Amino acid sequence: MAGNQNYTIVEYFGGDDGYRCGYCKNEKGNFSQGMWSHTMTVQDYQDLIDRGWRRSGKYVYKPIMKKTCCPQYTIRCHALKFQPSKSHKKILKKINKFISKGELPKGQEDGEPMDSVCEEAAPQEPSKVCQSEVTGAAITDIQHEVAECPTITEVHKEVADAKPTGSQTSPKDPVSVPDGRTAATAPKPGMGADPSRPPCRKAKDLRKERRLQKEHTRQQGDGVSPTNPTPTQNNQPKTLEEFICDSLPDSPSHHLEVRLVPVNFEDPQFAASYQQSVALYTRYQMAIHGDDPSECSESEFRRFLCDSPLEAEYSPDGPEVGYGSFHQQYWLDGRIVAVGVIDILPNCVSSVYLYYHPDFASLSLGSYSALREIAFTRQLQKQSPKLCYYYLGFYIHSCPKMRYKGQYRPSDLLCPETYVWVLIERCVPQLDNSRYARLNQDPDAGDTRALKDVGRALVLYKRTVMPYAAYSRKRKGSNDETEVQQYASLVGQDCAERILLYRS
């Protein structure tokens, strides 16, 4: 990746005080370690989230798992192996029916998530951050005192549009009923089914037959001999992309477009849609989370969902859109109705937040956006093979409303002690018995990236990069070794040797 002039620079703040939990509402039960990130490479953030860290704006925090009231386990979905469940298919069909016919379901379905992350669960940001000495500083590198220096990452940006979604629905199709059968006219008493009418068939079978007939007609018109699909093709389950991209009727009631926009005020699409996005966020926070207007102002929106420490980066073997922070905007008939905030990292798409227009709550946009983001991850993987996971943030088993994240399978939870991934099916029995659990069941396994030498941790002191051993010699009598040791233990040896820890 690009050169070693690109650094991650953080200030560590520890985490001794408890704060309000957004899940169980305990006023002082939530505990986490935190650091302010002035700038961060995508590879460093990838490595940090693989050790249980997560960002809220520029503040990066890690729950103290054995102490916090609601332990939060990092969860990732294997995007390439994902198959939509029955409930996921219902949601996709509901969206397609709305686009096709304009029918908005009534009420919010039980168990549907409202958003990707509960903002209340994130800790309060520090009030004292040393911006002047870090931002824009010319950094002198004296890393020659360290045996080897890491390289960091590359740069680039681009905007990508997704195709409109929907499905084909014919008014002549039999009406679906909850158990999946088709509704038919009741037979006359004592007569049984009307023998003059053809037997009832499922709507999906009729639609499939019509599609085959249209394909047969088209091939004949093109002079191509039609071929019958093999039994293997017929038995293949419908993919997520096929559910999303079902064809629309010629004149659908609505038009839905998904646009990927980099979080960059110099980007024309981001700048042009900014005020509309702010207004949508404010409306969502007030209606769904009950926020006071002062709690969801433009400055809060910018801090929480626009300020990102991630530097936009490009790599020859990376996705065409590049790495960094993006807003995935859902445009319905020319206006934004939902925005998914995501980070594109070397190994994953990481979901940050979702906000949407409250009038469309019944469309289950929380689940729909997650399904779209999984499909988007699969799309990016075709360009960058190692980018194959979708991170859903934290899984909180002790909070029933947050268990929905475990429905996107196959998925793994991160062991809070060894930092290896464990299939969620193996984790659930442990979490049913205890809020906190060491998920890795190998008693001999340990943290392979555990801190071994704090002296090799890099610090930024007076605009100069140096290993902590050199810094401690310069600052004789310094009493911060315990703090630096704690920080380096949390980020791991590899990250400690790359990330610059600011020292005043």
Side-chain angles (χ1 to χ4, degrees), residues 21 71 150 194 215 284 310 318 331 340 383 401 414 427 436 481:
C21 177
D194 188 347
E215 181 66 16
Y284 169 81
L310 300 182
W331 289 76
Q383 304 164 9
K401 72 175 182 179
L414 185 68
C427 302
Y436 173 81
E481 184 173 353

Side-chain angles (χ1 to χ4, degrees), residues 38 175 188 263 328 381 388 411 453:
H38 294 273
V175 181
K188 298 176 182 179
V263 181
Q328 201 161 37
Q381 192 274 338
C388 57
S411 58
D453 183 3

Side-chain angles (χ1 to χ4, degrees), residues 2-22:
N4 57 3
Q5 73 274 14
N6 293 336
Y7 289 109
T8 292
I9 304 174
V10 301
E11 288 182 67
Y12 179 67
F13 291 98
D16 297 327
D17 298 328
Y19 53 93
R20 186 176 187 273
C21 177

Side-chain angles (χ1 to χ4, degrees), residues 123-141:
Q124 296 297 313
E125 295 176 0
S127 56
K128 295 181 180 179
V129 178
C130 301
Q131 296 280 8
S132 58
E133 294 188 42
V134 177
T135 307
I139 296 176
T140 304
D141 192 342

Side-chain angles (χ1 to χ4, degrees), residues 425-488:
E425 290 88 347
R426 297 179 184 174
C427 302
V428 169
Q430 297 181 68
L431 297 176
D432 284 339
N433 293 327
S434 173
R435 290 190 174 206
Y436 173 81
R438 172 192 161 103
L439 302 177
N440 187 346
Q441 296 181 16
D442 180 358
D444 299 323
D447 177 9
T448 58
R449 297 186 177 183
L451 180 67
K452 296 178 179 65
D453 183 3
V454 69
R456 293 174 61 85
L458 291 185
V459 301
L460 177 63
Y461 176 59
K462 292 186 176 180
R463 301 187 180 184
T464 302
V465 178
M466 63 186 75
Y468 180 70
Y471 164 80
S472 60
R473 288 196 296 269
K474 287 177 178 289
R475 291 288 308 272
K476 291 181 180 179
S478 174
N479 60 355
D480 63 355
E481 184 173 353
T482 301
E483 179 183 302
V484 175
Q485 182 98 21
Q486 183 185 58
Y487 149 80

